Every structure is written in structure tokens, then in C-alpha cells.
Amino acid sequence: MKIGFNEGCNRFCAGHSVLEDLTLCEKYGFDCIDIQSECLDRDLAAGTCTLEELGDFFRTHKLKMLSYNALVGFNMKQTQAEKDAVMDHLDEIIRRCQILDCKMIVVVPSMDLTVHATLDDIKADAVAVLREMVKKVEPYGIKLSLEFCGCPTMSINRFEDAYAIVEEVDHPLVGLTLDQYHFHAMASGWDALEKADGRKIFIWHLNGMENMPCGAAYNTDEKRLWPGEPGDCLDHKRYADTLKKIGFDGGVCTIEVFRPDYYKLSNEENIKKAAEVTRAHVETYC
């Protein structure tokens, strides 16, 4: 099992730099990286790197880009202009992925809907949008990985709902991201995961979390922990064993935390620690 780093871990560390992340991830033994769109946009705007520089790095080093993370708010748009903006955004991400040699785009649902949509409404809309999106990525062989988010105001916030959407789309380039925090935070069902086809899970996000009530307003991404840290309530063995049993073949275990205390570390301290805990997790459970 390879190990991956998501820039959510260190995006607000002092002096953060995408290009430095690549160098440090390679130094500490990561195989892959999820580049966060907000980090990339920030650096491109500041002129601290170019897409071509990043692409050259990936072509000349062992470290590879696992995913572009992410196209946020892809579904439940109410006007044609909003829908067109999503597709225009996707076109730009595809352009970037060609330069970065990236073959996966994470798509994140919309939140705080202004309409009282039912689960059926949300499913039908997501299926329709993803089918249009896959027409755009298919010529490039780029996958779309739907990431449900364990927050009450998210339109797709449980594994079983996201999985049903992916099943309905029924395309080899459309799968989902399983983030352990998101799975637990809105009490996704283990029975649904245990019956799933693991080949439809494209990305596995590793993290721990404090033992917060499911669905609580204060149960946010900031409650994430390094896996195995004191206070971590997640059953890591069960996640790993279940993924093996259902045939997860993504091949990478990627660490993603958003804890403010960890942003107080330097970029190097953060990435070094992330590599240590991810490697230890893989050696123990995978």
C-alpha cells in the first residue's frame, strides 16, 4: 500500500508553498499527493509557482499527483448560469490536470441549499450532473471521485447516499472518496460499506477524530486528529479490514487532517509527522 499526503494537513502552516510540499513529501517518503485547489490558486496568484513547474516536478520525480482536490459545490445549481459555471470550472481543472499529469478530480457537494430538496431530488440532480461531467473527462481518462462530507448542511453527507449516486451513474471513471472522518461524523452505515464494491472507492482518506456526537454543529473538520493520537475514537482496524474485504484497489492510503494545532508546525515538521503516522498505520493495518 502506497502512502499519500493531502495538503489539508498543512495548508495554513506559516509560509506554506505547494512546490515545497512536493519536495518535502518526496524527502519523507510519500508516494502521492492530493493538491488542494485553494493552495494551488493562492500560489498561482502570488506567482510563487507555475503549473508547468509543478508538472515538471511530477515528471522528473518519484512523487505523483493522486488527485486535484477539489471542484467544490458541483450539484443542485438553480440557474443555467450556475450550472454553466460548474462546467467551465471543470474545463479549467481538466486543463490544469493535463499539465500536472493528474488523473483524478475530487468533486465535493454543495452545502447550505436554498431549496428544501429531498434525498431523491439530490440523487437525481447529482447523477445528471456527473453524467455530463464524465463526458468532459472521458477523452482524457480522468476519474471523478465524489466525496460525501459528514456535515448536516451538506447535500450529500453519508456514504450510502454517495454510493447510490455512483451506482446509478454506472461509469468506470466515476467513484467516490471514503474519508474516515466524514464517514463517522454523520453516522454512515457500516452495513452499507461492507456490501459495497470496493472498486468504486477511488480514494481512502485516513484520519482520526475526537469522540464528538454525530451531526453536532461543533463536530467540524477541526476535530480531526493524527490517527492513533490520544483521544482518537475511530476503529482503524475495521476501516482497513473492511476495505480489504470489499476489494478496495486504489492502492494508496492518504492522510488528511485539518487541525489548527497542526498548522502551528512548520511545513517540514507537519509533513514529517504525517509521513510517520501514515506509514505506521499502513504497516499495522494494511
Side-chain angles (χ1 to χ4, degrees):
M1 180 74 69
K2 294 180 179 180
I3 61 172
F5 179 80
N6 185 293
E7 289 184 306
C9 296
N10 73 330
R11 59 183 176 166
F12 295 134
C13 290
H16 179 267
S17 156
V18 175
L19 200 52
E20 183 183 42
D21 282 354
L22 305 191
T23 301
L24 292 173
C25 282
E26 177 111 341
K27 176 179 178 179
Y28 288 106
F30 279 109
D31 301 289
C32 304
I33 186 170
D34 293 332
I35 288 185
Q36 288 260 337
S37 54
E38 64 180 283
C39 298
L40 180 58
D41 288 344
R42 183 173 64 204
D43 282 12
L44 292 176
T48 57
C49 71
T50 66
L51 292 170
E52 289 73 19
E53 286 176 312
L54 299 176
D56 286 344
F57 185 99
F58 289 125
R59 281 186 288 274
T60 57
H61 291 76
K62 177 176 175 288
L63 184 77
K64 302 304 175 188
M65 186 168 171
L66 179 62
S67 78
Y68 189 102
N69 196 319
L71 193 164
V72 179
F74 80 95
N75 64 322
M76 295 303 296
K77 300 307 182 185
Q78 300 304 301
T79 68
Q80 190 59 48
E82 291 174 335
K83 294 174 183 179
D84 290 344
V86 170
M87 293 303 170
D88 290 345
H89 190 188
L90 178 60
D91 287 338
E92 170 60 15
I93 293 174
I94 292 170
R95 184 189 73 84
R96 293 181 177 191
C97 285
Q98 293 299 103
I99 299 170
L100 298 169
D101 197 24
C102 176
K103 293 296 185 180
M104 187 110 64
I105 300 169
V106 174
V107 292
V108 174
S110 300
M111 64 187 303
D112 298 321
L113 298 183
T114 58
V115 294
H116 291 194
T118 66
L119 285 174
D120 291 339
D121 295 334
I122 293 167
K123 178 182 177 182
D125 175 83
V127 168
V129 176
L130 287 168
R131 283 178 172 163
E132 289 303 309
M133 293 174 83
V134 82
K135 293 176 185 177
K136 288 181 173 285
V137 298
E138 192 168 22
Y140 307 98
I142 296 173
K143 295 180 178 180
L144 299 171
S145 190
L146 169 61
E147 182 165 10
F148 68 97
C149 298
C151 170
T153 59
M154 267 287 176
S155 56
I156 305 170
N157 56 22
R158 302 184 79 222
F159 172 83
E160 41 267 60
D161 298 328
Y163 188 79
I165 290 166
V166 168
E167 276 197 308
E168 185 73 19
V169 175
D170 191 25
H171 194 286
L173 292 178
V174 179
L176 55 83
T177 298
L178 175 64
D179 181 293
Q180 294 183 175
Y181 168 82
H182 288 318
F183 188 91
H184 183 86
M186 280 294 291
S188 289
W190 281 101
D191 57 337
L193 180 58
E194 289 162 355
K195 292 184 293 187
D197 179 352
R199 294 170 298 180
K200 295 184 184 297
I201 298 172
F202 290 167
I203 297 175
W204 172 19
H205 279 168
L206 170 67
N207 34 64
M209 66 174 288
E210 296 179 55
N211 192 16
M212 296 291 167
C214 295
Y218 55 83
N219 183 3
T220 66
D221 279 325
E222 295 185 354
K223 305 303 182 186
R224 296 180 184 227
L225 295 164
W226 301 125
E229 284 285 286
D232 179 10
C233 71
L234 297 187
D235 187 344
H236 295 291
K237 185 177 187 302
R238 188 174 186 183
Y239 281 105
D241 287 351
T242 301
L243 286 170
K244 281 186 279 187
K245 182 178 178 181
I246 65 176
F248 169 70
D249 62 2
V252 184
C253 178
T254 302
I255 186 80
E256 183 184 45
V257 296
F258 298 93
R259 194 167 183 86
D261 283 349
Y262 302 165
Y263 296 140
K264 298 175 184 176
L265 301 171
S266 69
N267 285 330
E268 183 156 9
E269 290 169 334
N270 185 292
I271 291 174
K272 180 181 180 181
K273 176 67 174 181
E276 290 170 354
V277 299
T278 309
R279 188 174 295 108
H281 179 89
V282 167
E283 290 173 353
T284 302
Y285 298 111
C286 303

